[in-house]
């Protein structure tokens, strides 16, 4: 334990200071009572955990769309990452860079959607700019798949993107298949990094954190298929080819289930059975459990866990969950719809 405090003590202190700037339940309640998103942004301007992001949005702007808002708020997450990474030992930077790898994945999928729809190119933003392994400007202005692949050269996604290259000239790969393969590349990269660089309790925590994410995301995807495309049979290739508590045989059995209710019945003999007892039998129900489980696990690691590289990982996960709650709140205020603050109360606790 003394060694961990010597190695990660400064990182732990920095994380605790940054986490202390999070929005609290009272902040979410106050913002939910407002009627104009500009007032929400003005309130956020005084909140230390989001000041840098809101400074990029003018309080006088008449229209604040989801894209502008989320991009500005994500710059805050990027800002926090940059402030935190200086305290991360060099050997741990690969595992802590997971939000950068996710940002790269998002850029690639956005570019692929744009090519499919024939939309306009978007201007490059400064988010994670110095840490990216893709050429963001080239990614956002590419006009064909070859240029998209070249913009990803040097990243963990370059090889899978190359393998997805369509046979016909000027063609584009299947979007769901591309997304599944690139997400698999992301998690494969994390698993490889964990196995190569960690041991003992730190390795156990990292594998549990990433492993449960994979299990639940696979389950959510499977339930969506069973709900919206019940006749679809060739979807196994879009699931992650690895798991944590759900064995490959169990996933095959779940995939062959006749419908959603049968999927939940088959989960009764898995480690997730008790967790799903009181959930609505829908993909949305599992997704809500996923967010809550992710929050509780990371909050527990931050509150009671011995300082380790996961201290930084936990903070970045919690910041992302706070961002999601905040974007949802602003959208509710903007469109005048009822705000469900249950998850915000959890993150603001």
């Amino acid at each position: 334990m003394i060694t961990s405090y010597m190695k990660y003590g400064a990182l732990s202190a920095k994380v605790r200071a940054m986490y202390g700037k999070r929005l609290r339940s009272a902040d979410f309640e106050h913002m939910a009572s407002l009627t104009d998103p500009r007032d929400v942004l003005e309130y956020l301007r005084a909140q230390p955990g989001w000041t840098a992001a809101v400074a990029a949005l003018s309080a006088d702007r008449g229209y604040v769309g989801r894209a502008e808002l989320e991009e500005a708020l994500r710059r805050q997450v990027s800002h926090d990452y940059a402030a935190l990474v200086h305290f991360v030992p060099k050997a741990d930077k690969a595992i802590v860079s997971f939000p950068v790898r996710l940002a790269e994945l998002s850029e690639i999928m956005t570019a692929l959607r744009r090519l499919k729809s024939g939309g306009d190119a978007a201007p490059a933003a400064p988010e994670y700019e110095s840490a990216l392994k893709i050429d963001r400007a080239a990614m956002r202005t590419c006009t064909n798949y070859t240029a998209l692949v070249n913009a990803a050269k040097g990243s963990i996604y370059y090889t899978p993107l190359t393998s997805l290259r369509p046979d016909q000239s000027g063609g584009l790969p299947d979007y769901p298949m591309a997304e599944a393969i690139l997400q698999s590349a992301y998690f494969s990269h994390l698993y490889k990094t964990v196995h190569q660089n960690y041991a003992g309790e730190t390795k156990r925590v990292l594998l549990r954190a990433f492993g449960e994410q994979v299990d639940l995301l696979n389950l959510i995807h499977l339930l969506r298929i069973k709900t919206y495309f019940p006749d679809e049979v060739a979807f196994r290739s879009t699931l992650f080819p690895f798991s944590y508590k759900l064995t490959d045989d169990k996933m095959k059995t779940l995939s062959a289930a006749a419908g959603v209710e049968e999927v939940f019945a088959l989960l009764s003999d898995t480690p997730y059975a008790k967790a799903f007892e009181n959930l609505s039998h829908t993909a949305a129900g599992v997704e809500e459990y996923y967010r809550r489980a992710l929050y509780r696990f990371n909050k527990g690691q931050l509150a009671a866990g011995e300082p380790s590289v996961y201290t930084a990982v936990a903070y970045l996960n919690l910041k992302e969950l706070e961002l999601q709650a905040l974007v949802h709140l602003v959208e509710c205020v903007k469109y005048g719809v009822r705000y469900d603050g249950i998850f915000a109360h959890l993150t603001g606790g």
Side-chain angles (χ1 to χ4, degrees):
M1 181 174 288
I2 294 176
T3 301
S4 66
Y5 274 95
M6 290 177 62
K7 188 174 182 180
Y8 298 106
L11 173 64
S12 179
K14 180 64 175 178
V15 163
R16 292 181 187 282
M18 293 172 71
Y19 188 60
K21 298 177 182 179
R22 71 189 183 280
L23 294 171
R24 307 306 171 103
S25 296
D27 295 314
F28 282 104
E29 288 177 5
H30 174 76
M31 289 186 289
S33 71
L34 302 173
T35 58
D36 190 325
R38 289 174 296 182
D39 293 333
V40 175
L41 297 178
E42 191 59 33
Y43 183 82
L44 287 174
R45 194 181 301 279
Q47 306 308 308
W50 295 97
T51 302
V54 181
L57 288 175
S58 170
D60 297 326
R61 181 178 295 185
Y63 174 80
V64 179
R66 180 190 176 97
E68 296 91 341
L69 169 69
E70 190 163 353
E71 185 165 286
L73 295 179
R74 285 205 172 278
R75 279 198 288 270
Q76 180 69 57
V77 181
S78 172
H79 180 273
D80 283 14
Y81 169 82
L84 198 59
V85 77
H86 292 297
F87 294 85
V88 176
K90 184 177 180 179
D92 295 315
K93 290 188 185 296
I95 202 71
V96 176
S97 68
F98 75 94
V100 184
R101 306 288 81 84
L102 283 175
E104 293 168 346
L105 176 56
S106 176
E107 289 285 343
I108 292 168
M109 298 313 300
T110 297
L112 187 56
R113 285 196 302 272
R114 177 175 57 78
L115 291 178
K116 283 184 173 290
S117 67
D120 295 329
E127 181 191 11
Y128 298 115
E129 201 63 44
S130 62
L132 292 174
K133 299 296 184 182
I134 64 170
D135 184 336
R136 173 177 270 156
M139 185 68 68
R140 291 195 172 188
T141 57
C142 63
T143 56
N144 55 57
Y145 188 69
T146 296
L148 185 153
V149 173
N150 289 337
K153 192 170 291 185
S155 76
I156 62 173
Y157 305 110
Y158 178 70
T159 297
L161 282 170
T162 301
S163 71
L164 284 165
R165 191 186 302 275
D167 293 333
Q168 69 272 29
S169 177
L172 295 170
D174 177 72
Y175 186 90
M177 179 63 70
E179 185 174 37
I181 289 176
L182 295 182
Q183 286 180 335
S184 291
Y186 165 75
F187 279 109
S188 295
H189 169 73
L190 292 181
Y191 275 99
K192 182 179 178 181
T193 301
V194 171
H195 283 292
Q196 288 182 341
N197 297 284
Y198 299 99
E201 179 64 10
T202 299
K203 182 176 182 179
R204 186 192 70 79
V205 170
L206 286 166
L207 289 178
R208 177 186 170 187
F210 297 130
E212 288 190 355
Q213 285 186 57
V214 168
D215 280 354
L216 293 172
L217 289 172
N218 262 343
L219 185 56
I220 290 167
H221 180 62
L222 187 151
L223 288 169
R224 284 175 177 162
I225 293 291
K226 297 294 182 184
T227 300
Y228 301 111
F229 308 98
D231 298 326
E232 178 65 55
V233 293
F235 67 87
R236 281 274 297 164
S237 60
T238 63
L239 298 176
F240 296 125
F242 36 79
S243 60
Y244 179 58
K245 293 180 179 178
L246 296 177
T247 65
D248 187 57
D249 285 342
K250 174 57 72 173
M251 287 306 302
K252 288 179 181 177
T253 302
L254 292 172
S255 298
V260 170
E261 289 303 322
E262 186 175 333
V263 170
F264 276 93
L266 291 169
L267 287 169
S268 62
D269 63 348
T270 71
Y272 296 109
K274 189 172 182 180
F276 297 151
E277 281 179 355
N278 299 316
L279 286 181
S280 63
H281 286 190
T282 62
V286 176
E287 193 163 356
E288 181 62 22
Y289 170 77
Y290 168 76
R291 289 202 304 164
R292 289 176 175 275
L294 189 62
Y295 170 80
R296 291 191 179 103
F297 178 76
N298 286 284
K299 179 65 180 291
Q301 291 298 312
L302 209 60
E306 181 179 323
S308 73
V309 63
Y310 200 81
T311 304
V313 174
Y315 172 79
L316 292 168
N317 277 328
L318 291 169
K319 188 71 174 184
E320 173 65 26
L321 291 170
E322 184 181 348
L323 166 67
Q324 293 175 17
L326 184 53
V327 170
H328 173 60
L329 181 146
V330 176
E331 285 191 323
C332 289
V333 171
K334 178 179 177 60
Y335 296 109
V337 299
R338 181 179 176 275
Y339 174 64
D340 182 357
I342 294 177
F343 187 70
H345 282 298
L346 187 65
T347 63

